[in-house]
Amino acid sequence: MRSHSTEAAGGAALALRTRPRLLEIIANLRERIEEAKSNGWLGAVTGLQTSLNEAARKLVSLDRAHERQPAGTVNLGLPIIVEPKP
């Protein structure tokens, strides 16, 4: 079982690895939209624009998640265990 801090750190690392690929996808979608526009493929433009919007939304989500990550470990304190009264 992984601890929460391990999962958070893994999520931040995943976001850092995913961001460059997502930027490539966004650039490619923009190029394909221009190509579709120049060829008059209006249906393709609509579909590609939808994909571009979702990719841009995912990029914003990754950036926000990365900004929210704490720098280092987080002290959660020690639990206080109270013995029940007999």
Side-chain angles (χ1 to χ4, degrees):
M1 179 176 201
R2 291 171 32 168
S3 71
H4 182 279
S5 62
T6 302
E7 290 174 8
L14 178 63
L16 289 175
R17 288 192 311 265
T18 304
R19 192 175 197 287
R21 178 66 181 132
L22 195 51
L23 289 172
E24 289 176 17
I25 291 168
I26 289 170
N28 180 268
L29 285 167
R30 287 185 176 138
E31 291 172 8
R32 291 176 59 202
I33 288 170
E34 288 306 313
E35 177 186 10
K37 284 180 181 178
S38 69
N39 289 315
W41 302 333
L42 300 181
V45 171
T46 304
L48 291 167
Q49 188 63 51
T50 300
S51 296
L52 176 61
N53 292 343
E54 290 304 314
R57 186 173 294 131
K58 179 65 177 178
L59 182 62
V60 169
S61 175
L62 282 174
D63 288 344
R64 285 183 181 159
H66 181 68
E67 290 170 3
R68 285 192 305 258
Q69 291 296 324
T73 60
V74 176
N75 183 358
L76 299 177
L78 293 174
I80 298 173
I81 300 173
V82 179
E83 295 291 327
K85 295 182 181 178

